[in-house]
Amino acid sequence: SQQGEEDPQALSIQEGENATMNCSYKTSINNLQWYRQNSGRGLVHLILIRSNEREKHSGRLRVTLDTSKKSSSLLITASRAADTASYFCATERSSNTGKLIFGQGTTLQVKP
Amino acid sequence: DAGVIQSPRHEVTEMGQEVTLRCKPISGHNSLFWYRQTMMRGLELLIYFNNNVPIDDSGMPEDRFSAKMPNASFSTLKIQPSEPRDSAVYFCASLPSVHEQFFGPGTRLTVL
């Protein structure tokens, strides 16, 4: 069963705007990760946030984690057409197994 | 490093035929994961190996599916006999000692 649920399922914005995607999960976690998938390609790791962290930045990406609400958000600032992709959150429940449970994903379209 | 290598990239077969998907993980990575992705069910973990040993195969849909990892540089996922509902994109991912998974480009399987 899927651990994470993303919303929205689809998002369409103009280049330069910010994109926010949310992820909710059901059980306690060790960490939460975000991945990007371009059409017809494999997933690419973007960022990892541990359960004891609340916010993390990487370039134009900002991730927050609220363990009390079992939710996370991914913010992409100043979006570009090249950001068009599907974005997935994935949770790792136990440490040192590497096993991830993926959500259904958010499809982001950035219009030039 | 070439990354995770999967073959074939596309496979079209007829119902009842045996299908073998292949994966070469990144050298030095300790864990290997097989996923299946469909529009209906999203990304599902089928099985994963740690140091060539199967750790969790609870995601394998039924006995028609089997996976092996005879050595650290090669894994196979076999479906015998194949059915149209097995049509999906199958991904292999490898994991070093930390948490980021590296995905291959996937094999698109179509069972007619």
Side-chain angles (χ1 to χ4, degrees), chain B:
Chain B
D1 198 321
V4 176
I5 299 172
Q6 291 187 248
S7 65
R9 293 295 310 279
H10 301 274
E11 176 82 23
V12 180
T13 190
E14 292 188 346
M15 183 174 63
Q17 296 298 306
E18 178 180 296
V19 174
T20 300
L21 311 181
R22 297 174 176 79
C23 175
K24 178 177 174 15
I26 294 172
S27 177
H29 284 196
N30 301 323
S31 299
L32 183 141
F33 301 78
W34 281 100
Y35 293 91
R36 176 173 69 177
Q37 186 177 39
T38 61
M39 289 293 293
M40 291 295 295
R41 299 176 67 88
L43 195 64
E44 303 173 277
L45 175 65
L46 300 177
I47 185 171
Y48 78 97
F49 297 82
N50 189 39
N51 292 324
N52 313 337
V53 176
I55 302 300
D56 184 348
D57 66 354
S58 59
M60 296 286 261
E62 47 198 276
D63 292 345
R64 298 184 297 107
F65 285 69
S66 62
K68 293 182 180 179
M69 192 164 186
N71 57 62
S73 60
F74 184 65
S75 177
T76 58
L77 178 67
K78 186 177 292 186
I79 308 172
Q80 165 65 16
S82 58
E83 297 182 3
R85 60 192 168 121
D86 301 331
S87 297
V89 181
Y90 290 80
F91 289 102
C92 171
S94 68
L95 177 74
S97 56
V98 292
H99 303 281
E100 173 186 348
Q101 290 192 15
F102 292 77
F103 280 75
T107 294
R108 182 173 294 277
L109 173 65
T110 302
V111 183
L112 303 175

Side-chain angles (χ1 to χ4, degrees), chain A residues 62-107:
Chain A
R62 173 177 164 251
V63 170
T64 63
L65 179 65
D66 186 335
T67 52
S68 66
K69 295 181 179 178
K70 292 186 170 57
S71 67
S72 173
S73 68
L74 172 67
L75 168 67
I76 304 174
T77 60
S79 63
R80 305 166 182 169
D83 295 328
T84 294
S86 292
Y87 292 83
F88 295 86
C89 70
T91 51
E92 182 177 350
R93 290 204 275 183
S94 301
S95 61
N96 301 322
T97 65
K99 179 179 177 180
L100 297 177
I101 306 297
F102 283 83
Q104 294 288 349
T106 293
T107 299

Side-chain angles (χ1 to χ4, degrees), chain A residues 11 13-20 60 75-79 108:
Chain A
L11 181 60
I13 60 175
Q14 293 295 135
E15 206 165 27
E17 293 180 339
N18 295 341
T20 300
R60 293 184 296 113
L75 168 67
I76 304 174
T77 60
S79 63
L108 172 65

